[in-house]
Amino acid sequence: MKLKLFVFLFSAMMFGFFLIQPAQAHTPLCSCYDNGDGSVTCEGGFSDGSSAAGVQMRVEDSAGKVLLKGKMDDYSEFTFDKPAGDYKVTFDAGEGHEITVHGKEIF
Amino acid sequence: MNSRLLVALAGQPNCGKSTVFNALTGAKQHVANYPGVTVDKMSGWYKHGDTRVDVVDLPGTYSLTFYSPEERVSRDFILNEKPDVVVNVMDASNIKRCLYLTFQVMETETPMVLDLNMMDVADNRGVIINVDALTRILGVPVVATSMKQSRGKKELFNAIADTARKKSSLALFKVDYGPLEESISIIFDMIRQDPGDLKTYPARWLAIKLMEGDEEVKKLIKEKGGQGRQILNRVEDLRNQFEAEYDQDTALAVAQARYAAADKVAAGCLTLPTEKKKSMSDRIDAVVCHKFMGPLVLVGVIWLLYYLSIVQGYNLTNYTWPLLAKLRGFVAAIVPAPGFIDVPLISSFALWLIDSVNALLNYIPIFFILFGLIAVMEDSGYMPRMAFIMDRLFSRYGLHGQSTLPMVLGGIYVGGCAVPGVMSCKGIPDERSRLTTILIIPMLNCLAKVPLYVLLINIYFAAHKGLAMFFISTISFLMVLPVSKFLTTTVLKDKPTSPFVMEMPPYHLPTIRGVVGRAVERVWLFIKKITSIVVALAVVIFILLQFPGISPQRRAEFEARRDQAITKFRSSITQTPYAETLAGDKLMEMVLYWKNYKDKRMLTRSAEANAALNDEFKKINPQFFVIARPGKDEVAGKVNRSFKELFRTRKGLLLEMRKERINQSFLGKMGRALEPATQFAGFNWRINVALLSAFAAKESSVATLGALYEQNNDGGDGSLESRMAKEEEGFTPLHALALMMFMVLYPPCLATSIAVKLQSGSVKWMLFGMFYPMVLGVGVATFIFTGGTLLGLSGLQAMGVFYAIALCIAIATGFIKTKSEFEDARQMSIA
Amino acid sequence: MTLDELKPGNSGIIKKLSIRDKLGQRLMDMGLYPGLTLNVVRNAPLEDPLEVEIDGYFISLRHEEARFIEVENT
């Protein structure tokens, strides 16, 4: 009984102890590719190797109107149909972790 | 002539002593610790002719009593290490007060040089000092300097060398202690004749200290004196006699005599300005310490601090990250390459390590700016003003006015970082409130926790985002106050306290050299002490995560899927010329080629860099490049799409295998083991494992949790209704609230814990600082969840109720009086 | 009267320190000794601590500490 308690306390401590790593101060990364079939894929990540799955993505036209929204999938990728005209894609991980890529830079 | 000299720098705070130290030793400095105390030992050296002079910068002290560790360390150094020369740095505008210390240093009978510093300020004020007269009266060489402008440096070097050579000195001014002189003589004789081990100490110094009631010297006499007992008894008698006759405390009488002597000396050499000008600092303080303007200025300064360090610091990391990534790339290049689903242990280990290190190193720009700004605040003289404004509030809870900056750094309202917060606690003079501050800082708004709050709020409190954000930003401060109070009145009850009495020094313009120097020094300390331990522990975590690993049976299943995917791919390209290019092992090569390309592409930020990258890869393997970037080539385009699908499948397999490995690992077992307890806080084992793996597998916990809910969300596109419908999944806003409060209170990260150990000087406090938040965090989360469930409260209602409770407790505890040391002070009878 | 009773803008001469040991020593070390003239500059925004000027430099102390300094208003 005492051993179980000890194991519990110890694991609880290890659990929380490591949980809040300063690893969250990571720099966001994102790059996009034109797939050649009318779609564009953006891949995201963070400087400490964290995955970007679940990060909000949005595509806006040159006037800033939001054309479409979505999220990075489990593979940290986001594929969307290439809009006509000028556009930009934003990788928005919140809290100042934002990267915007302009359509003309995607090829 | 000696080939080596030891020089000590002594002086009161705010006399420019560190400027003198920097001027003497230049870049050749280093910081260590005096054994047994958390006082910094600053040492350096310089060459004068063919003599090497070692310089120790003693802590700035107003006096040499036994009450504070800084004073004890200073006098022990002078008496035991026996420096060849003591340089007493003085503020030329404040001679009378500085002499108070000077006389005490003289009594140690060590050869001295007086450095009358900050002459420029004295000149501005209209204070005139006759340096020759001063030299004559005191019998000690006096050098006038203005070290900030390097004036007087050469003269100081020479004075030190001369004094060391002469060794005589000691035709010194002696303080006349009036009626006490008789008692001092008696004790002096007793000490001189003592058969014991007291010969190495200056007898008059010992006698005077004994008459002052110095506890440390009493101990010394007891230990080293042959007739210690007799001496101490005699001292007791003489002191009682004096106090009865003159109705004055002997210690205060001694101090008074010193000031009287200082007056006499000043009369012989000092001319004060006739007209009293209001100093610049006083005028600034009229605003900075003003009833309404003061707090506004404080808020402004704090805002500026956050803006410069965190916002701009992040921007800086955009430039430093590519360097770290290159480092990672280098490591990746030298370890064995991964296979389709196998990753060699050594490779994953090496990459895991480099990722851990990079994560910490990525903080450096932010820390550098932060530490620099702290140095600016310290050097400029603004810190005491912060303490002046906030002390009333903080001292009610067992904290101190000087806790203001550390707490701001830890994160008040917006996110901060506990590491610099804890490290800046050095300045808090009172041991009890210093420890209290150190222990509660990790509870404040750590920047790393913020993304998690944002995620949970976006999912579970989306309709009341503003309220929820306000709640989470202020609740930590609200809880810190009662917790401090609690700690002060229980665990830290018996720690020594110190008087608040503090100088408000004139404002100074900090020097770039001083600020940058200190910032560099502290960043280096961070790297050395903290990073090393985190890396060591990363090794442990790696083991906990990797083993026991995937079972052979499951492994075979994964391999089967791999083969399936590859076969499918090959069959899709058999008709094309590329089948040849990707035959056999070359397929794996292509996989690595593509991965490499993508990784490098992440770092390019301009069209030119992009083009250069493409050229580079074209050269490495032109055929692979066509597959990677087919452009208009239709056949290549088809192969490209097939290949990308294969690549994705691989990614999927690797992810699945990793998740499974984690689930099966020791860490995963822990998550499951914890469930019986954590369920009261609303966490099932899957949450536990997700959180564990979130940190451990370096998945951003935000993304993992987000993905966790996406994965289980079959029908919806993430709409509120479909997520709410997952109540059966068990996670409600109440759960989220419990989880958030858990995160608020939970133990500090590893780096912070190490900082706690460094600042508190003991492993015991580090462990306590990790343990009590755990109890508190689990307790509060359980209270919220179980209480909220029993009362049938929604998440939002529970939030409101909890906030109200916390507010009431915070206010109520403020009214409990902590026993002040002076409640039962011995009052002197009034004549 | 004691120092904590002296209002900002007023001056006084220190008559006596009615405490010894750690606080008494500290007050003396900082330059607050009998015979000295001081000038109360201001109270903090939250009333406590207070700031005094002595001989051209400035010291701040809590009211509970100032209670032990007897002064004569001038």
Side-chain angles (χ1 to χ4, degrees):
Chain A
M1 190 55 218
K2 225 167 166 193
L3 181 64
K4 226 174 163 191
L5 182 66
F6 171 74
V7 170
F8 162 65
L9 282 178
F10 178 74
S11 343
M13 205 156 103
M14 298 293 275
F15 167 91
F17 177 51
F18 296 119
L19 183 58
I20 319 292
Q21 257 246 6
Q24 310 286 357
H26 38 208
T27 314
L29 307 163
C30 180
S31 60
C32 302
Y33 310 80
D34 188 329
N35 294 322
D37 62 356
S39 70
V40 173
T41 299
C42 289
E43 198 187 357
F46 290 99
S47 58
D48 60 355
S50 308
S51 111
V55 172
Q56 304 273 1
M57 299 293 296
R58 61 176 184 275
V59 182
E60 297 166 354
D61 67 12
S62 46
K65 184 171 101 166
V66 176
L67 299 171
L68 53 101
K69 281 208 225 180
K71 288 196 170 88
M72 284 268 166
D73 65 17
D74 286 343
Y75 302 90
S76 300
E77 284 177 14
F78 173 67
T79 304
F80 59 97
D81 292 326
K82 186 161 101 173
D86 272 340
Y87 69 98
K88 48 187 182 181
V89 194
T90 303
F91 171 85
D92 180 6
E95 287 299 307
H97 290 50
E98 247 188 44
I99 296 191
T100 301
V101 185
H102 288 271
K104 10 188 190 9
E105 295 166 8
I106 302 178
F107 71 101
Chain B
M1 166 113 111
N2 299 342
S3 53
R4 227 175 146 130
L5 285 181
L6 178 60
V7 169
L9 290 186
Q12 296 188 335
N14 305 306
C15 291
K17 189 159 59 64
S18 36
T19 316
V20 173
F21 181 63
N22 285 335
L24 288 179
T25 59
K28 310 189 280 298
Q29 299 176 6
H30 98 118
V31 188
N33 245 104
Y34 289 101
V37 284
T38 52
V39 179
D40 278 346
K41 182 174 187 187
M42 307 276 304
S43 13
W45 60 275
Y46 68 87
K47 257 193 151 216
H48 187 88
D50 40 63
T51 314
R52 171 176 158 134
V53 182
D54 290 304
V55 185
V56 171
D57 184 13
L58 298 174
T61 56
Y62 290 99
S63 181
L64 287 179
T65 70
F66 71 98
Y67 286 112
S68 75
E70 286 83 8
E71 290 170 293
R72 292 196 294 265
V73 141
S74 296
R75 52 193 228 175
D76 285 346
F77 186 85
I78 297 178
L79 291 171
N80 297 330
E81 308 296 324
K82 301 203 194 320
D84 297 290
V85 180
V86 171
V87 175
N88 180 208
V89 182
M90 303 167 73
D91 176 4
S93 321
N94 256 322
I95 296 202
K96 276 198 259 181
R97 203 188 59 187
C98 289
L99 281 172
Y100 183 79
L101 177 68
T102 310
F103 294 144
Q104 297 182 59
V105 178
M106 281 178 170
E107 283 161 4
T108 65
E109 295 172 24
T110 317
M112 275 176 82
V113 170
L114 293 192
D115 178 349
L116 215 52
N117 198 21
M118 297 168 36
M119 288 296 288
D120 51 329
V121 177
D123 287 339
N124 277 336
R125 294 242 196 113
V127 173
I128 305 175
I129 303 170
N130 186 335
V131 175
D132 289 327
L134 186 58
T135 313
R136 240 179 307 121
I137 301 175
L138 294 178
V140 166
V142 177
V143 180
T145 66
S146 179
M147 228 22 127
K148 234 184 184 174
Q149 294 125 352
S150 294
R151 275 168 39 202
K153 197 160 120 168
K154 217 170 49 151
E155 288 83 346
L156 185 59
F157 279 129
N158 290 333
I160 294 175
D162 286 339
T163 310
R165 204 171 358 114
K166 269 191 283 189
K167 274 181 194 288
S168 59
S169 75
L170 313 195
L172 292 176
F173 178 88
K174 266 211 179 93
V175 174
D176 179 4
Y177 291 103
L180 278 170
E181 282 293 349
E182 212 186 297
S183 310
I184 294 176
S185 281
I186 298 175
I187 304 298
F188 177 85
D189 289 332
M190 282 183 86
I191 292 177
R192 269 296 177 81
Q193 289 153 16
D194 183 278
D197 206 5
L198 299 173
K199 301 279 186 281
T200 47
Y201 299 96
R204 183 169 161 85
W205 184 83
L206 287 177
I208 297 172
K209 284 291 172 221
L210 285 170
M211 288 309 288
E212 284 184 88
D214 192 302
E215 293 294 328
E216 286 291 312
V217 175
K218 271 199 216 165
K219 260 196 268 174
L220 185 73
I221 300 287
K222 228 187 289 182
E223 280 166 27
K224 297 215 171 156
Q227 297 179 308
R229 185 90 301 184
Q230 279 100 304
I231 298 179
L232 290 179
N233 287 338
R234 196 64 205 278
V235 169
E236 217 28 56
D237 291 337
L238 288 168
R239 289 186 73 204
N240 289 334
Q241 247 183 308
F242 178 85
E243 289 183 13
E245 193 179 331
Y246 291 92
D247 185 31
Q248 201 188 12
D249 178 45
T250 45
L252 301 192
V254 166
Q256 189 103 30
R258 289 184 179 136
Y259 281 118
D263 272 335
K264 253 189 26 208
V265 171
C269 64
L270 183 67
T271 317
L272 287 172
T274 41
E275 189 203 298
K276 264 262 263 73
K277 289 192 296 179
K278 214 161 190 242
S279 67
M280 170 69 92
S281 299
D282 200 12
R283 277 181 280 161
I284 297 179
D285 272 340
V287 175
V288 169
C289 294
H290 185 265
K291 260 195 175 17
F292 300 117
M293 291 301 295
L296 282 182
V297 169
L298 184 63
V299 169
V301 167
I302 293 177
W303 178 86
L304 194 65
L305 190 74
Y306 282 133
Y307 176 73
L308 286 177
S309 60
I310 294 179
V311 175
Q312 296 303 342
Y314 263 126
N315 289 345
L316 266 188
T317 62
N318 284 334
Y319 298 99
T320 58
W321 167 245
L323 300 170
L324 296 177
K326 279 216 176 66
L327 191 63
R328 187 188 199 277
F330 178 70
V331 172
I334 58 178
V335 292
F340 199 81
I341 56 172
D342 312 89
V343 182
L345 203 61
I346 182 91
S347 309
S348 49
F349 179 65
L351 290 174
W352 168 262
L353 276 187
I354 194 80
D355 277 336
S356 305
V357 171
N358 279 357
L360 282 173
L361 293 183
N362 205 35
Y363 259 96
I364 288 180
I366 298 179
F367 280 173
F368 184 75
I369 298 182
L370 260 179
F371 291 144
L373 289 175
I374 295 174
V376 167
M377 301 243 257
E378 286 171 347
D379 285 355
S380 63
Y382 184 62
M383 294 270 275
R385 274 79 183 176
M386 286 174 118
F388 184 70
I389 296 176
M390 296 302 295
D391 184 66
R392 178 122 191 250
L393 177 66
F394 286 161
S395 58
R396 270 180 185 281
Y397 293 97
L399 298 167
H400 192 280
Q402 304 257 34
S403 308
T404 311
L405 184 63
M407 287 175 70
V408 163
L409 292 171
I412 305 265
Y413 201 79
V414 292
C417 179
V419 176
V422 167
M423 281 169 67
S424 68
C425 283
K426 203 170 252 322
I428 303 176
D430 179 39
E431 168 111 6
R432 188 171 74 184
S433 42
R434 188 175 78 233
L435 268 176
T436 310
T437 311
I438 290 176
L439 289 173
I440 54 100
I441 282 185
M443 274 172 63
L444 293 168
N445 291 339
C446 162
L447 204 56
K449 301 184 192 175
V450 174
L452 185 72
Y453 302 150
V454 171
L455 172 83
L456 288 173
I457 288 177
N458 280 338
I459 297 180
Y460 294 102
F461 295 97
H464 310 275
K465 228 186 267 208
L467 274 178
M469 281 307 292
F470 177 78
F471 171 81
I472 206 72
S473 308
T474 52
I475 193 72
S476 57
F477 182 67
L478 222 48
M479 296 198 65
V480 154
L481 296 176
V483 172
S484 314
K485 187 70 174 193
F486 179 74
L487 289 176
T488 311
T489 47
T490 53
V491 183
L492 297 172
K493 185 167 53 150
D494 298 320
K495 286 284 166 191
T497 58
S498 308
F500 177 81
V501 190
M502 134 186 117
E503 184 180 1
M504 306 271 271
Y507 287 105
H508 274 141
L509 211 55
T511 60
I512 303 220
R513 189 234 144 95
V515 167
V516 171
R518 288 239 287 300
V520 167
E521 186 189 299
R522 288 182 188 170
V523 168
W524 179 237
L525 186 75
F526 169 73
I527 295 179
K528 242 187 358 181
K529 299 217 156 155
I530 295 182
T531 308
S532 50
I533 302 199
V534 174
V535 168
L537 254 108
V539 174
V540 173
I541 309 262
F542 181 78
I543 296 176
L544 288 177
L545 271 184
Q546 280 290 113
F547 301 102
I550 303 178
S551 67
Q553 169 201 18
R554 284 289 290 155
R555 200 170 163 103
E557 281 171 32
F558 281 113
E559 281 170 1
R561 285 164 66 181
R562 167 196 67 186
D563 295 332
Q564 207 178 29
I566 295 183
T567 314
K568 178 164 160 213
F569 172 73
R570 287 208 195 278
S571 62
S572 77
I573 64 167
T574 40
Q575 305 297 331
T576 71
Y578 298 103
E580 184 57 47
T581 322
L582 298 176
D585 286 337
K586 294 219 236 347
L587 179 58
M588 197 56 221
E589 262 183 62
M590 176 73 203
V591 169
L592 294 175
Y593 177 87
W594 176 236
K595 175 145 207 319
N596 210 356
Y597 178 73
K598 286 209 305 177
D599 286 344
K600 291 220 169 117
R601 185 86 180 326
M602 281 288 207
L603 301 173
T604 62
R605 288 173 196 283
S606 69
E608 299 87 50
N610 241 324
L613 183 68
N614 287 349
D615 285 336
E616 183 193 333
F617 273 79
K618 246 185 251 176
K619 265 199 222 101
I620 295 177
N621 191 322
Q623 288 172 312
F624 281 178
F625 190 78
V626 178
I627 301 176
R629 313 246 67 211
K632 296 282 196 267
D633 185 336
E634 273 203 29
V635 176
K638 253 187 48 190
V639 176
N640 171 282
R641 281 188 284 283
S642 245
F643 174 75
K644 279 210 196 137
E645 206 188 299
L646 179 69
F647 195 79
R648 255 175 91 94
T649 309
R650 175 182 188 246
K651 232 182 176 178
L653 284 175
L654 286 173
L655 266 174
E656 260 188 74
M657 289 174 72
R658 179 163 55 166
K659 278 211 174 73
E660 191 164 313
R661 193 166 36 232
I662 291 173
N663 272 334
Q664 298 299 333
S665 72
F666 294 124
L667 217 60
K669 294 205 209 300
M670 273 187 223
R672 281 195 286 281
L674 290 173
E675 196 189 16
T678 61
Q679 67 180 336
F680 292 111
F683 312 158
N684 62 23
W685 73 266
R686 244 178 278 128
I687 307 282
N688 292 347
V689 176
L691 289 175
L692 278 171
S693 70
F695 140 74
K698 291 264 172 40
E699 302 293 322
S700 147
S701 69
V702 177
T704 302
L705 280 182
L708 196 71
Y709 300 110
E710 296 314 307
Q711 271 180 351
N712 298 325
N713 190 359
D714 308 304
D717 54 339
S719 69
L720 208 56
E721 298 86 70
S722 54
R723 278 191 245 121
M724 288 311 213
K726 278 194 296 116
E727 292 244 356
E728 37 86 64
E729 175 59 59
F731 216 72
T732 62
L734 195 59
H735 283 93
L737 182 64
L739 182 58
M740 285 199 294
M741 283 313 302
F742 182 73
M743 305 232 83
V744 168
L745 299 167
Y746 223 122
C749 66
L750 190 49
T752 305
S753 295
I754 298 172
V756 168
K757 160 161 185 308
L758 289 176
Q759 278 304 319
S760 65
S762 94
V763 178
K764 180 176 83 154
W765 288 118
M766 174 178 92
L767 291 176
F768 179 73
M770 284 156 51
F771 174 73
Y772 92 84
M774 174 180 84
V775 172
L776 193 61
V778 171
V780 168
T782 308
F783 171 74
I784 290 182
F785 184 73
T786 312
T789 313
L790 287 176
L791 292 176
L793 297 173
S794 77
L796 195 66
Q797 289 170 326
M799 190 183 273
V801 170
F802 184 73
Y803 198 81
I805 296 178
L807 193 61
C808 290
I809 295 182
I811 296 179
T813 46
F815 287 108
I816 303 176
K817 281 220 98 187
T818 339
K819 190 153 115 82
S820 166
E821 278 204 13
F822 320 122
E823 297 293 289
D824 35 48
R826 272 184 43 210
Q827 300 264 356
M828 298 289 293
S829 54
I830 303 185
Chain C
M1 64 185 313
T2 53
L3 180 58
D4 64 318
E5 293 165 346
L6 205 56
K7 296 258 180 289
N10 289 321
S11 307
I13 300 187
I14 302 182
K15 289 269 121 196
K16 189 169 186 164
L17 293 188
S18 55
I19 184 165
R20 45 198 293 170
D21 299 325
K22 197 187 272 195
L23 179 58
Q25 185 74 48
R26 179 78 176 160
L27 290 172
M28 296 288 295
D29 289 346
M30 296 298 283
L32 291 158
Y33 60 92
L36 205 59
T37 306
L38 52 72
N39 172 25
V40 179
V41 181
R42 60 173 63 88
N43 283 326
L46 292 173
E47 283 308 308
D48 202 9
L50 63 113
E51 186 183 1
V52 296
E53 183 192 348
I54 310 173
D55 234 356
Y57 60 94
F58 298 84
I59 303 275
S60 87
L61 62 161
R62 293 178 179 153
H63 280 100
E64 68 179 3
E65 296 167 338
R67 201 162 28 101
F68 296 105
I69 303 179
E70 287 172 33
V71 294
E72 182 184 294
N73 199 344
T74 55

